[in-house]
Amino acid sequence: REQMHTDYLDFEQPIAELEEKILELHRISVPEGADVSISEEIRRLEEKSRDLTRSIFSNIGAKQIVQLARHPLRPLATDYIARVFTDFQELHGDRHFAKGAALIGGLARLQGEPVMVIAQYKGRTTKEKVERNFGMVLPEGFRKALRLMQLAERFSLPVVTFIDTPGAYPGIGAEERNQSEAIARNLFEMARLKTPIISVVLGEGCSGGALALGVGDRILMLQYAYYSVISPEGCASILWKSAAKASEAAEALGLTAEDLLGHRVIDGIIVEPLGGAHRNPNLAAESVKKALVEQLVSLKQIPKESLVSERNARWLQIDHAEQ
């Protein structure tokens, strides 16, 4: 039986096999003075690996993009916050019930400019994932986000939101604390917030849990992120009564960055490093930072009194694009 390389997805296995050969060559110890050089063979295989990666990734579909968005090594919100911003100071709590650990937020600087950063965070280790509820935000998390947005508005600070969630938490406690009202309130208040809002979908952008941070002036997506009203598995379970049809559901949902740019749901795609953001987190963060700076410069040109009306017009045009 062939060995499965766990850091690679199923469609990446040919790449994994080449990379393993390259590692084996690096481990070979050549005696000093020997008339043997493996450097040329390593260079040849590395070029072959890059070409193969380009070939595979130029033909991936919605199913593979969903897999990449969920990759266990994919950079998370905290990875981007550490690389994109300086002087991040986290602010805690919704001032009503709890901390809302699945959502982090606070003050930071983007190239020296003060901003408010709000992000969904799944956690990296098992302990952290449990603590952060796997990125599924509870009502207190959404209320914390709203508190920070209103604080940003008071001090005329731009808001940057990072979206990465499988959805809002659907548990009994969340419903008792009025999850749907917390999401709806965020939609309502973001629509009339008098400060620039830039939203970036980092990985998964599922359902109302994603939209509760997504009513922005500019919506950007990483190349291999997805944004949808429901997960492919949830959609397949409803339409075909089987999660096994998730691949078909992913294609039908039109959830990729290219699909959504074509429908004018988003405003731009942030290109990821070859093979996905997890292959080069630093380069991915540089691309995110560049896109944020560009959008912030653009939004600062809009008069404050026109910001809300232009934001609402931006969202209303989506309906006209679909008719």
Side-chain angles (χ1 to χ4, degrees), residues 149-212:
M149 286 185 235
Q150 290 173 335
L151 181 65
E153 180 184 44
R154 191 178 312 152
F155 292 99
S156 299
L157 301 178
V159 174
V160 175
T161 68
F162 285 153
I163 297 168
D164 190 13
T165 180
Y169 189 63
I172 292 174
E175 296 302 328
E176 289 174 342
R177 297 192 295 281
N178 214 344
Q179 179 76 290
S180 58
E181 187 279 336
I183 293 172
R185 175 60 60 182
N186 276 25
L187 304 183
F188 178 78
E189 297 295 346
M190 289 182 81
R192 63 178 189 171
L193 203 72
K194 295 182 178 67
T195 196
I197 307 171
I198 306 171
S199 299
V200 183
V201 185
L202 300 178
E204 292 187 274
C206 255
S207 194
L211 198 56

Side-chain angles (χ1 to χ4, degrees), residues 24-311:
E24 287 175 3
L25 287 174
H26 277 295
R27 286 193 288 262
I28 293 175
S29 177
V30 180
E32 189 175 345
D35 190 22
V36 177
S37 174
I38 60 171
S39 58
E40 187 59 38
E41 179 63 11
I42 289 173
R43 281 195 296 270
R44 188 186 69 80
L45 288 176
E46 285 175 341
E47 183 59 36
K48 186 177 180 181
S49 176
R50 285 191 291 270
D51 290 343
L52 181 60
T53 303
R54 289 190 192 96
S55 175
I56 289 174
F57 275 75
S58 65
N59 293 292
I60 60 174
K63 174 189 173 182
Q64 290 78 28
I65 286 174
V66 171
Q67 288 179 288
L68 286 164
R70 297 170 175 172
H71 197 289
L73 299 180
R74 189 171 179 83
L76 302 175
T78 52
D79 300 308
Y80 287 104
I81 290 172
R83 291 170 168 86
V84 172
F85 304 96
T86 57
D87 302 326
F88 176 68
Q89 181 64 51
E90 187 173 358
L91 302 174
H92 298 273
D94 68 342
R95 299 296 187 267
H96 292 286
F97 182 78
K99 179 180 177 180
L103 188 139
I104 58 177
L107 298 164
R109 292 185 184 275
L110 177 62
Q111 278 199 345
E113 172 106 10
V115 297
M116 184 69 76
V117 183
I118 301 168
Q120 290 154 333
Y121 180 49
K122 295 178 175 179
R124 183 68 72 187
T125 65
T126 300
K127 180 181 178 181
E128 201 176 31
K129 286 177 180 178
V130 172
E131 179 189 351
R132 303 289 180 172
N133 204 33
F134 298 85
M136 294 182 289
V137 182
L138 291 154
E140 48 269 25
F142 292 124
R143 291 178 179 128
K144 174 171 68 174
L146 179 57
R147 180 176 74 83
L148 298 183
M149 286 185 235
Q150 290 173 335
L151 181 65
E153 180 184 44
R154 191 178 312 152
F155 292 99
S156 299
L157 301 178
V159 174
V160 175
T161 68
F162 285 153
I163 297 168
D164 190 13
T165 180
Y169 189 63
I172 292 174
E175 296 302 328
E176 289 174 342
R177 297 192 295 281
N178 214 344
Q179 179 76 290
S180 58
E181 187 279 336
I183 293 172
R185 175 60 60 182
N186 276 25
L187 304 183
F188 178 78
E189 297 295 346
M190 289 182 81
R192 63 178 189 171
L193 203 72
K194 295 182 178 67
T195 196
I197 307 171
I198 306 171
S199 299
V200 183
V201 185
L202 300 178
E204 292 187 274
C206 255
S207 194
L211 198 56
L213 296 187
V215 184
D217 300 289
R218 300 289 187 271
I219 315 297
L220 307 175
M221 282 181 69
L222 266 70
Q223 185 178 5
Y224 301 126
Y226 79 90
Y227 197 17
S228 175
V229 296
I230 191 171
S231 70
E233 293 81 5
C235 177
S237 296
I238 293 170
L239 294 183
W240 292 287
K241 311 300 180 187
S242 171
K245 294 280 190 178
S247 298
E248 290 90 330
E251 294 292 344
L253 284 165
L255 44 67
T256 69
E258 286 192 7
D259 291 331
L260 295 168
L261 185 64
H263 292 306
R264 296 160 66 185
V265 174
I266 66 170
D267 301 291
I269 299 172
I270 301 173
V271 177
E272 297 189 28
L274 182 63
H278 59 284
R279 296 284 189 91
N280 193 334
N282 289 331
L283 183 57
E286 284 178 20
S287 298
V288 170
K289 183 176 182 178
K290 180 182 177 184
L292 288 175
V293 170
E294 287 175 355
Q295 294 298 337
L296 191 56
V297 169
S298 171
L299 288 170
K300 287 175 72 175
Q301 307 306 313
I302 301 174
K304 194 172 182 179
E305 56 273 15
S306 303
L307 193 64
V308 171
S309 60
E310 290 197 21
R311 184 184 306 143

